[in-house]
Amino acid sequence: MTPDRLRARLLGWYDAHARDLPWRVGPADGATGVRADPYRVWLSEVMLQQTTTPHAAPYFLTFTRRWPTVSDLAAAADGDVMAAWAGLGYYARARNLLACARAVASAHGGVFPDSEEALRALPGLGPYTAAAVAAIAFDRPANVVDGNVERVMARLFAVEAPLPDAKPELKRLAGALVRDERPGDWAQALMDLGATVCRPKAPLCDRCPVPDSCAALATGAPEGFPRKTAKAERPHRFGAAYVLTRGDAVALVRRPPRGLLGGMLALPTSDWRATRWSDAEALAAAPAPAAWRPAGEVEHGFTHFTLTLQLYRAEGEMADAVWTPRSGLGALPSVFLKAAREGLDRLL
Ligand code: SF4
């Protein structure tokens, strides 16, 4: 099948099967000239780098209700945005989000620039997001390549080189399919195919619009693409976390502004290290004197390591604590919310 025939098939499939997403202008509206709002496209792409579409959607709706334009977001207090981001993980992205919104508001009068190059110059806006906004919001023929698109390319062309080494080749293959015609729809069609049909573990090849173009399908084992090099095991770290209560309130602290979960409210913790903490060590590192008791543990996966928090629970006082009612714990980053819930479940 020629590249243009493949494009026509996939765009036709997208016209009939495009996902209905809160940030998307569907193909029928797009055909009448309706354009996606660059702010909504950008916000959704930043969120989708963190999480799945179903998880991102409620956050997206909350953000756009509260801050309907990029200028509204630029004017928001840092703490409000960080709190609204809680649960999406990786707070550096929320900081970058604000930096970018403020640059658009101050240097561009609240209007996103409309070329990939100018978008790329905005703070915290990486090559993938610049290409996605340029294509989806401005219909620029940008080569938008995320993990979904890499997978689709690796399968269509049965690329034998493993990831991550294959990335430049996959990008080149994707670029060869980009045209001036409907570049935004093309980018979204590939994303949708990867997300709903050409799925990572179990591709639904019987629903694929281009099975006769798929070299991986011809091998009989399309799920084996993209090839991957063996993964190094994620390091494991351990920390003690302290759930100190005073009636209904829980003692929280604000983490230092830089580093993991920087600037966020958190449970007080010990350092995080490669070995477990003994009870004696954990009690010596406690943030306040109290009748601490072991209260279970929780595990949380960060991008680069897995953390086990060993929990200790007590009732008492603590200097400089941010006393927060249980009902207000929902704004904690997920690792601490999980730890607080587990610790509070234990009887004193
Ligand atoms: Fe993916 Fe299967 Fe379609 Fe190939 S035939 S592109 S593996 S869904």
Side-chain angles (χ1 to χ4, degrees), residues 151-152 155-156 193 197-199 203-217 222-223:
R151 183 170 60 257
V152 172
R155 289 176 177 170
L156 285 176
L193 184 73
V197 174
C198 197
R199 305 180 311 183
L204 304 171
C205 302
D206 53 343
R207 296 197 207 157
C208 180
V210 288
D212 38 354
S213 286
C214 182
L217 182 60
E223 64 285 348

Coordinates of all heavy atoms in Angstrom, one line a residue, residues 151-152 155-156 193 197-199 203-217 222-223, ligand 1:
R151 N 5.0 3.0 18.7 CA 4.6 1.6 18.6 C 4.0 1.3 17.2 O 4.2 0.2 16.6 CB 3.6 1.3 19.7 CG 3.1 -0.1 19.8 CD 2.4 -0.4 21.1 NE 1.2 0.4 21.2 CZ 1.0 1.5 22.0 NH1 2.0 1.9 22.7 NH2 -0.1 2.1 22.0
V152 N 3.1 2.2 16.8 CA 2.4 2.0 15.5 C 3.5 1.9 14.4 O 3.4 1.0 13.5 CB 1.4 3.1 15.2 CG1 0.9 3.0 13.8 CG2 0.3 3.0 16.2
R155 N 5.5 -1.3 14.4 CA 4.7 -2.5 13.9 C 4.4 -2.4 12.4 O 4.6 -3.4 11.7 CB 3.3 -2.5 14.7 CG 3.6 -3.0 16.1 CD 2.4 -3.0 16.9 NE 2.6 -3.5 18.3 CZ 1.8 -3.5 19.3 NH1 0.6 -2.9 19.1 NH2 2.1 -4.0 20.5
L156 N 4.0 -1.2 11.9 CA 3.7 -1.1 10.5 C 5.0 -1.5 9.7 O 4.9 -2.2 8.6 CB 3.4 0.3 10.1 CG 1.9 0.8 10.5 CD1 1.8 2.3 10.1 CD2 0.9 0.0 9.8
L193 N -5.3 5.4 17.0 CA -5.0 4.0 16.6 C -4.2 3.3 17.6 O -4.4 2.2 18.0 CB -4.3 4.0 15.2 CG -4.1 2.6 14.7 CD1 -5.4 2.0 14.2 CD2 -3.1 2.6 13.5
V197 N -6.6 0.7 19.3 CA -6.5 -0.5 18.4 C -5.2 -1.2 18.5 O -5.0 -2.4 18.9 CB -6.9 -0.2 17.0 CG1 -6.8 -1.4 16.1 CG2 -8.4 0.3 16.9
C198 N -4.2 -0.4 18.2 CA -2.8 -0.9 18.2 C -2.2 -0.8 19.6 O -1.2 -0.2 19.8 CB -1.9 -0.2 17.1 SG -0.4 -1.0 16.7
R199 N -2.9 -1.5 20.5 CA -2.6 -1.4 21.9 C -1.3 -2.1 22.3 O -0.9 -3.0 21.6 CB -3.7 -2.0 22.7 CG -5.1 -1.3 22.4 CD -6.2 -1.9 23.2 NE -6.2 -3.4 23.2 CZ -7.1 -4.1 23.8 NH1 -8.1 -3.5 24.4 NH2 -7.0 -5.4 23.8
P203 N -2.8 -6.0 20.6 CA -3.4 -5.2 19.5 C -4.6 -5.8 18.9 O -4.7 -7.1 18.8 CB -2.3 -5.1 18.5 CG -1.3 -6.3 18.8 CD -1.5 -6.5 20.3
L204 N -5.6 -5.0 18.6 CA -6.9 -5.5 18.0 C -6.8 -5.5 16.5 O -7.5 -4.6 15.9 CB -8.1 -4.7 18.6 CG -8.2 -4.6 20.1 CD1 -9.2 -3.6 20.5 CD2 -8.5 -6.0 20.7
C205 N -6.0 -6.3 15.9 CA -5.7 -6.2 14.5 C -6.9 -6.4 13.7 O -7.0 -5.9 12.5 CB -4.6 -7.2 14.1 SG -3.1 -6.9 15.1
D206 N -7.9 -7.2 14.2 CA -9.1 -7.4 13.4 C -10.0 -6.1 13.3 O -10.9 -6.0 12.5 CB -10.0 -8.5 14.0 CG -10.3 -8.3 15.4 OD1 -9.6 -7.5 16.1 OD2 -11.2 -9.0 15.9
R207 N -9.6 -5.1 14.1 CA -10.3 -3.8 13.9 C -9.5 -2.7 13.3 O -9.8 -1.5 13.2 CB -10.8 -3.3 15.3 CG -11.7 -4.1 16.0 CD -12.4 -3.4 17.1 NE -12.9 -4.3 18.1 CZ -13.1 -4.0 19.4 NH1 -12.8 -2.7 19.8 NH2 -13.5 -4.8 20.3
C208 N -8.3 -3.1 12.8 CA -7.3 -2.1 12.3 C -7.7 -1.7 10.9 O -8.0 -2.6 10.1 CB -5.9 -2.7 12.3 SG -4.7 -1.6 11.7
P209 N -7.6 -0.4 10.6 CA -7.9 0.0 9.2 C -6.8 -0.3 8.2 O -7.0 -0.2 7.0 CB -8.1 1.5 9.4 CG -7.4 1.9 10.6 CD -7.3 0.7 11.5
V210 N -5.6 -0.6 8.7 CA -4.5 -0.8 7.7 C -3.7 -2.2 8.0 O -2.5 -2.2 7.9 CB -3.5 0.4 7.8 CG1 -4.1 1.6 7.2 CG2 -3.1 0.6 9.3
P211 N -4.5 -3.3 8.2 CA -3.7 -4.5 8.5 C -2.9 -5.0 7.3 O -1.8 -5.6 7.5 CB -4.9 -5.5 8.8 CG -6.1 -5.0 8.1 CD -5.9 -3.5 8.1
D212 N -3.3 -4.7 6.1 CA -2.6 -5.1 4.9 C -1.3 -4.3 4.7 O -0.5 -4.7 3.8 CB -3.4 -5.2 3.7 CG -4.4 -4.0 3.6 OD1 -4.4 -3.2 4.6 OD2 -5.0 -3.8 2.6
S213 N -1.1 -3.2 5.5 CA 0.1 -2.5 5.4 C 1.1 -2.8 6.6 O 2.1 -2.2 6.8 CB -0.1 -1.0 5.6 OG -0.7 -0.5 4.4
C214 N 0.7 -3.8 7.4 CA 1.4 -4.0 8.7 C 2.4 -5.2 8.6 O 2.0 -6.3 8.6 CB 0.4 -4.2 9.8 SG 1.2 -4.4 11.4
A215 N 3.7 -4.8 8.5 CA 4.7 -5.9 8.4 C 4.7 -6.7 9.7 O 5.1 -7.9 9.7 CB 6.0 -5.2 8.1
A216 N 4.4 -6.1 10.9 CA 4.5 -6.9 12.1 C 3.4 -7.9 12.1 O 3.6 -9.0 12.6 CB 4.4 -5.9 13.3
L217 N 2.2 -7.5 11.6 CA 1.1 -8.5 11.6 C 1.5 -9.7 10.7 O 1.2 -10.9 11.0 CB -0.2 -7.8 11.0 CG -1.4 -8.7 11.0 CD1 -1.8 -9.2 12.4 CD2 -2.6 -8.0 10.4
P222 N 2.5 -9.5 16.2 CA 2.7 -8.0 16.1 C 3.0 -7.5 17.5 O 3.7 -6.4 17.6 CB 1.4 -7.5 15.6 CG 0.4 -8.6 15.8 CD 1.2 -9.9 15.7
E223 N 2.5 -8.1 18.6 CA 2.7 -7.6 19.9 C 4.2 -7.6 20.3 O 4.5 -7.0 21.3 CB 1.8 -8.3 21.0 CG 2.1 -9.8 21.2 CD 1.6 -10.7 20.0 OE1 0.9 -10.2 19.2 OE2 2.1 -11.8 20.0
Ligands
SF4_1 FE1 -1.2 -2.5 15.0 FE2 -2.3 -4.8 14.3 FE3 -2.9 -2.6 12.9 FE4 -0.5 -3.7 12.8 S1 -2.4 -4.6 12.1 S2 -0.9 -1.6 13.0 S3 -0.2 -4.4 14.9 S4 -3.4 -3.0 15.1

